Amino acid sequence: MIDINNPRVHAKILPALAAVVGPATKILAIGSVTAKGTPMAIAPILPLEVRATVRNHLAGKIEQWFFQTEGYGVVFIVNATSTSEAREILEQLPLGVAGMMDFELIALGPLAPLAMLIADPQHQ
């Protein structure tokens, strides 16, 4: 369901999109270091974080991972069908357990609105 409170959603197109929005297939997870995550506090946890992230990648849970070049944090593409499923995965990572990393989660799905462009005009 479309969240009308999401600032990324343009309210005027909601009715048209409601009919074509598909299910979430990936979650964009934008991680930010919390106030607890000082460089000294993170340093001993970082090797554990890297190993846990690689394990999640090998298990197919984290598809891609990046470092923010304009900020301090990570960006993951998580294989999940809901933000709650992705949050559960990410909160188990060592920095999440330590309260040193928070994530903004954005559900992604197929570009379903393209269906309006390829619809057969004779069958509308």
Side-chain angles (χ1 to χ4, degrees), residues 1-11 14 18 21 83 105 107:
M1 190 68 200
I2 297 173
D3 179 4
I4 60 171
N5 296 316
N6 183 339
R8 292 184 179 88
V9 175
H10 195 283
L14 284 177
V21 172
T83 54
L105 302 174

Side-chain angles (χ1 to χ4, degrees), residues 7-26:
R8 292 184 179 88
V9 175
H10 195 283
K12 291 181 181 177
I13 63 170
L14 284 177
L17 290 179
V20 294
V21 172
T25 57
K26 308 273 184 209

Side-chain angles (χ1 to χ4, degrees), residues 28-78:
L28 176 65
I30 304 169
S32 300
V33 176
T34 67
K36 289 173 113 177
T38 64
M40 287 186 65
I42 288 177
I45 298 174
L46 201 53
L48 302 171
E49 182 79 7
V50 171
R51 285 193 284 278
T53 301
V54 171
R55 277 192 214 88
N56 276 295
H57 173 69
L58 294 174
K61 295 177 183 178
I62 295 176
E63 183 175 310
Q64 298 177 45
W65 63 89
F66 304 91
F67 185 75
Q68 295 182 35
T69 59
E70 296 180 0
Y72 188 57
V74 295
V75 177
F76 295 146
I77 303 293
V78 181

